[in-house]
Amino acid sequence: MTLLCVPLVGRTVEEMKIDAAAAAAAGGDLVEIRLDYIEGFRPREDLPRLLHSCPLPVLVTYRPNWEGGRYDGDDATRFETLCLAMELGVDYVDIELKVADKFVDFLSGNKPDKCKLIVSSHNYESTPSCEELANLVARIQEVGADIVKVATTATDIIDVSRMFQVMVHCQVPMIGLVMSERGLMSRVLSPKFGGYLTFGILDATKTSASGQPTLEELLDVYNIRCIGPDTKVLGLIANPVKQSKSPILHNKCLQSVGYNAVYLPLLADDLARFLDTYSSPDFSGFSCSLPFKVDAVHCCHEHDAVAKSIGAINTIVRKSDGKLVGYNTDYIGAISAIEDGIGGLGSKDAAMSPLSGRLIVVVGAGGAAKAIAYGAKKKGARVVVANRTYEKAVTLANAVGGQALRLADLENFRPEEGTILANATSLGMYPNVDGTPVPKKALRFYDVVFDAVYAPKVTRLLREAKEHGVKVVSGVEMFVRQAMGQFEHFTGGIEAPESLMREIAAQYT
């Protein structure tokens, strides 16, 4: 079982002791005491106090500044401190590869049997090739490491694949982690690839390296205790991706039906390269968001009829033969949300959509905009497409037999009675919550305003529309409905737990 290690980075011994108790209460397996973080650290006085009654096994690290730490003294003093920690009964000591041979000589064979020696290497710039990583692991083994630790940095999410390849072939216990937000996958999937331990911080203010998730996220969101070699990997491929609530929603729903999969936020820069790199059947399904929904069409071997007609994909499933199949669940998610939002304002004929005969102004020309424009046209609406890049608005408008406008034109656009406005851009999404595609004064001319953005739940666009007394439809409705479709594709037809999805969406948006 991969251990969950909580790094302690307090500035005082007392703060460290408080955090150690919190780590135990939160479900950690061990703590890493970062001695280099303690201000005015006095080894003989402070180490016994730190270790006395510590509720969890202890890993001691005294990281020098030349390896990304805060210690700026000489190695002899540092070595003496680490030896003292061993004498006091710690379970693990971490030493850097650069000085590991000197430290082993310093020990002179006096390392206690209980204490495991972790020999570590940190690369804060990049992730080397598989061959270079394998050679690095061999060098670490040669100096007498009980546990190999290699930490690199991801400049692209595909870098993580090289760490995974090396981990599964390592003949000794290994900690393999890739730092930065693009490397998050390495931390969560450590149990799948045989990692000895992974790090989870107590909160965002107590980080010791880039890209560390919280212990609560590892346990409660990613359900890391249940991740193993057979766990399927799902995720949201997007850029940016940090703001998404999809990992919370999908993971809790997967857990509720007992499906052995984990859903990750995947910060990617190139969709095709990502899909080519993570081509194992275990990487079995993905959501696609901005800016990859159109790119996904070219990456998939097969498409369902709706996705093909729209020319945008938000769901990819890898079949057992390796072929990628693309779907679009944005279409039904957005259109059904808008129809329900219109409610009694539409036709009394139950067989006819309340969108029929209405004018809808779609803001944007990307994947979500294509889904809304296509769906509205199919329901009998007349479509206007407004976009910052006019040429893209023209292309989409022509595809649905509509009219094109420049985004700036909406300030003075006077729609007919009963018109719907649908924002399908990222304007107003976290963290840029002050953004809006349409000036407030222009919103009073619409009957209904829909915003595909769901984080925050009430965007500036919706807030200003409500101030004019206009009926609004939150993107949360689209979010839940499209997620239900994705869930069923990912799980091979298991019915999505709608009530749970709505409960989670209400809690986290």
Side-chain angles (χ1 to χ4, degrees):
M1 183 183 72
T2 299
L3 301 174
L4 300 185
C5 181
V6 180
L8 305 184
V9 293
R11 296 184 177 183
T12 66
V13 171
E14 290 308 313
E15 186 179 345
M16 288 270 193
K17 293 177 72 172
I18 291 170
D19 286 348
D29 296 315
L30 71 156
V31 292
E32 178 190 35
I33 296 179
R34 286 291 300 268
L35 301 180
D36 50 303
Y37 273 76
I38 301 175
E39 296 178 352
F41 176 61
R42 302 165 299 173
R44 293 286 173 184
E45 293 85 355
D46 293 340
L47 262 178
R49 292 172 56 209
L50 279 167
L51 301 177
H52 179 66
S53 301
C54 185
L56 292 173
V58 174
L59 158 60
V60 166
T61 300
Y62 204 2
R63 190 80 69 214
N65 50 21
W66 49 260
E67 187 86 351
R70 298 188 175 187
Y71 176 76
D72 60 0
D74 62 272
D75 279 340
T77 301
R78 197 163 64 95
F79 291 175
E80 290 172 1
T81 301
L82 294 176
C83 286
L84 176 60
M86 288 180 174
E87 293 170 13
L88 292 171
V90 300
D91 301 88
Y92 307 89
V93 161
D94 181 312
I95 191 69
E96 302 74 28
L97 174 61
K98 184 177 177 180
V99 295
D101 53 349
K102 295 179 182 177
F103 182 65
V104 171
D105 289 342
F106 188 88
L107 287 173
S108 300
N110 293 322
K111 180 176 77 67
D113 291 339
K114 174 193 174 185
C115 185
K116 302 294 185 184
L117 181 63
I118 300 173
V119 177
S120 59
S121 172
H122 299 78
N123 184 326
Y124 294 97
E125 302 296 327
S126 63
T127 298
S129 68
C130 283
E131 182 179 0
E132 290 172 305
L133 285 174
N135 290 337
L136 179 60
V137 169
R139 287 172 52 205
I140 293 175
Q141 290 179 250
E142 287 171 2
V143 298
D146 296 309
I147 300 167
V148 170
K149 179 184 176 185
V150 177
T152 63
T153 300
T155 58
D156 190 300
I157 195 169
I158 66 172
D159 295 345
V160 182
S161 67
R162 300 197 288 278
M163 185 65 75
F164 288 157
Q165 289 180 54
V166 172
M167 287 174 69
V168 296
H169 292 104
C170 188
Q171 300 302 306
V172 299
M174 179 175 175
I175 304 164
L177 301 171
V178 185
M179 296 177 283
S180 86
E181 186 183 352
R182 287 170 172 80
L184 174 67
M185 181 165 51
S186 72
R187 300 180 180 277
V188 179
L189 296 182
S190 189
K192 181 174 177 64
F193 295 95
Y196 187 82
L197 64 78
T198 191
F199 292 91
I201 57 177
L202 287 175
D203 61 59
T205 66
K206 300 180 185 296
T207 182
S208 63
S210 173
Q212 291 174 328
T214 65
L215 183 61
E216 181 181 15
E217 287 170 337
L218 289 174
L219 289 169
D220 297 340
V221 176
Y222 301 116
N223 199 25
I224 195 169
R225 298 289 192 201
C226 293
I227 296 176
D230 297 328
T231 300
K232 299 290 186 183
V233 180
L234 307 168
L236 171 63
I237 307 172
N239 192 337
V241 73
K242 188 182 294 186
Q243 80 290 340
S244 176
K245 306 304 179 186
S246 291
I248 298 173
L249 183 141
H250 278 289
N251 281 314
K252 289 187 178 297
C253 290
L254 289 166
Q255 293 162 28
S256 75
V257 301
Y259 191 80
N260 185 17
V262 61
Y263 186 103
L264 304 171
L266 303 166
L267 177 61
D269 299 287
D270 186 297
L271 179 63
R273 290 183 70 202
F274 176 90
L275 294 171
D276 287 344
T277 300
Y278 298 98
S279 57
S280 161
D282 279 1
F283 287 79
S284 60
F286 307 101
S287 308
C288 286
S289 192
L290 292 171
F292 300 122
K293 292 184 179 184
V294 176
D295 292 346
V297 175
H298 308 291
C299 294
C300 290
H301 303 98
E302 300 173 12
H303 316 80
D304 77 336
V306 173
K308 193 170 185 178
S309 298
I310 294 171
I313 284 170
N314 77 321
T315 310
I316 297 175
V317 173
R318 178 172 277 115
K319 295 167 64 176
S320 57
D321 61 4
K323 288 186 177 179
L324 299 172
V325 184
Y327 303 90
N328 191 302
T329 66
D330 281 339
Y331 154 68
I332 189 64
I335 295 302
S336 63
I338 293 171
E339 287 179 322
D340 287 354
I342 295 172
L345 300 176
S347 168
K348 295 180 181 179
D349 183 353
M352 185 180 296
S353 167
L355 277 166
S356 180
R358 284 178 176 266
L359 183 68
I360 182 168
V361 177
V362 179
V363 183
K370 288 182 176 183
I372 295 171
Y374 169 88
K377 174 68 175 179
K378 191 172 181 180
K379 295 288 187 175
R382 292 168 292 120
V383 180
V384 172
V385 179
N387 192 57
R388 183 177 285 119
T389 304
Y390 181 64
E391 291 74 18
K392 291 183 177 180
V394 170
T395 300
L396 178 53
N398 288 342
V400 295
Q403 175 187 353
L405 293 175
R406 290 177 172 81
L407 183 59
D409 294 338
L410 291 183
E411 183 172 357
N412 298 309
F413 181 68
R414 295 295 175 264
E416 64 188 53
E417 186 177 345
T419 299
I420 300 150
L421 178 71
N423 175 41
T425 74
S426 59
L427 287 168
M429 183 172 71
Y430 279 130
N432 302 313
V433 295
D434 293 329
T436 183
V438 182
K440 180 179 179 180
K441 65 179 183 179
L443 296 176
R444 67 184 186 273
F445 299 107
Y446 296 91
D447 271 23
V448 177
V449 171
F450 165 79
D451 199 338
V453 172
Y454 68 86
K457 180 177 182 179
V458 180
T459 60
R460 177 183 170 185
L461 176 69
L462 296 185
R463 184 179 68 251
E464 292 182 345
K466 286 181 72 174
E467 289 170 359
H468 279 305
V470 177
K471 189 168 187 178
V472 300
V473 180
S474 167
V476 173
E477 274 301 312
M478 176 183 174
F479 172 60
V480 169
R481 296 174 193 220
Q482 63 82 30
M484 289 172 61
Q486 289 188 328
F487 185 89
E488 292 177 13
H489 286 306
F490 292 152
T491 60
I494 297 176
E495 184 178 355
E498 181 177 358
S499 59
L500 177 60
M501 282 193 171
R502 292 193 174 281
E503 178 185 329
I504 295 167
Q507 182 179 356
Y508 290 99
T509 56

